[in-house]
Amino acid sequence: PTEWYFLFAYAILRSIPNKLGGVIALVMSIAILFLMPLLHTNETQGLQFYPLNQALFWYMVIMILLLTWIGARPVEAPYIITGQILTILYFSYYIINPLIIKLWDNMLNS
């Protein structure tokens, strides 16, 4: 049986052609999940006051589900590029999410 809960990280690993780059991306994909609570500097604690970030949360859930599905697929033509695109979208969430939180906080405070 395949350990399905690691498939999203495996899809990220194999989406990067360079071996060292793939390992770094794999480690970062897991480490960033542990770093997120430490980097939380919002003025409010929950997402209930951030409607755009609520949508981004579901975007992230979909990215992880799709990466998990891609990780279970063979390394073939349509799945390789799909995995690469999903990997970019996965990491872009961690850039976009704090920016939108800061933008929303600035709009609420002004």
Side-chain angles (χ1 to χ4, degrees):
T2 305
E3 286 78 13
W4 61 269
Y5 41 87
F6 287 127
L7 286 176
F8 87 96
Y10 175 65
I12 291 172
L13 170 72
R14 73 179 197 193
S15 71
I16 311 235
N18 181 316
K19 286 185 182 183
L20 179 61
V23 170
I24 290 171
L26 169 82
V27 170
M28 288 305 298
S29 71
I30 302 295
I32 204 163
L33 296 174
F34 290 104
L35 292 174
M36 286 299 286
L38 302 174
L39 300 174
H40 184 75
T41 59
N42 304 358
E43 292 183 17
T44 58
Q45 290 297 315
L47 284 181
Q48 66 266 27
F49 300 112
Y50 299 103
L52 292 175
N53 294 83
Q54 290 175 358
L56 275 177
F57 168 78
W58 291 109
Y59 161 87
M60 186 60 177
V61 169
I62 291 169
M63 286 306 111
I64 290 175
L65 290 174
L66 288 173
L67 278 167
T68 300
W69 176 72
I70 287 294
R73 301 292 110 211
V75 184
E76 295 177 348
Y79 305 121
I80 294 171
I81 190 69
T82 305
Q84 291 171 339
I85 292 168
L86 290 172
T87 297
I88 291 169
L89 293 174
Y90 175 84
F91 284 111
S92 69
Y93 168 81
Y94 297 106
I95 296 169
I96 294 169
N97 192 44
L99 294 175
I100 292 180
I101 287 174
K102 295 295 180 198
L103 175 71
W104 200 257
D105 283 342
N106 288 339
M107 285 182 1
L108 292 176
N109 291 331
S110 56

